[in-house]
Amino acid sequence: MTVVIKTKVADAAPSGGELSITPLTGAIGAAISGVRLADISEQQFQVIRQAFHDNCMLVFRDQFLTIDEHIAFAARWGEFEINAMSPYLDDYPMVLPLSNRGKDKAVTENWHYDSTFKAEPPAITMLSARDIPVGGDTMWCNQYLAYESLSPGLQTILQGVRAEFTGARLAKLYGLDKVPSSLHPVVRTHPETGRKALYIGKPGDTVPRLENMTSADSQPLLRHLYEHSTSPDRIYRHQWRNGDLVMWDNRCTMHYAVHDYGDATRELHRVTIAGDRPR
Ligand SMILES: O=C(O)CCC(=O)C(=O)O
Ligand SMILES: [Fe+2]
């Protein structure tokens, strides 16, 4: 099997059926071409797995996976995560259809890791793009680099610090009485790569406070970490096309779904892979 590692986006001309890995920015993301995900060998899967760990998120263009193909590819990465709060597709309890509920109900238009209110948040999220409007881009940031670019003094101070993460926005959307929440370390170690990543979310509803601190005491530091994490030099912004399959690692990236498409249709299918307790 030949694997071509491209050095920059401009090199990414269609190649004759070889699996190729092209970085999308200098900080995060890679595009994989030359494969059809519905039909990959174990050897190709291992190359894709390594590229995923090296780049934190992957883009596969022109896949047009059926629901069964999406599920079969996802199953290679671990156990499905089923989210009791959300309405799933009939006959496919692991596939969550994402559609335009309107900007005022868009719970994902902020930088976040998925489902941090859970004790064991999902490890991986995969979206299959089915009907994409003009706009509706999604952005990802690299939380390894966010951690590594903090000053050594602040890195030391953050060891062992935990933050409260809540599902307040989702609870409001689904009319739940009880808001789910969990405490997680703000510096977590990725269980597979062993690298440390800054684990935070939007100060306020999503991350109300640091452990043993009031909200007022916590906010300046939480705001600093949020701004630091989302610096433009550590971000990839994806312009979706129908047929894309995009997957990201929820242990080392945050993402932000831009709602700039008004009432237009935007449909994606989402499958998540279970993760473990951040530590
Ligand atoms: O709609 C998107 O592009 C991403 C939504 C999101 O945050 C998610 O699926 O976890
Ligand atoms: Fe998300």
Side-chain angles (χ1 to χ4, degrees), residues 98 108 112 114 125 127 138 240 248 255 257 266 270:
L98 299 185
T108 55
H112 64 281
D114 285 333
T125 305
L127 295 186
T138 308
W240 291 94
W248 65 90
H255 56 284
R266 183 176 186 271
R270 181 181 194 267

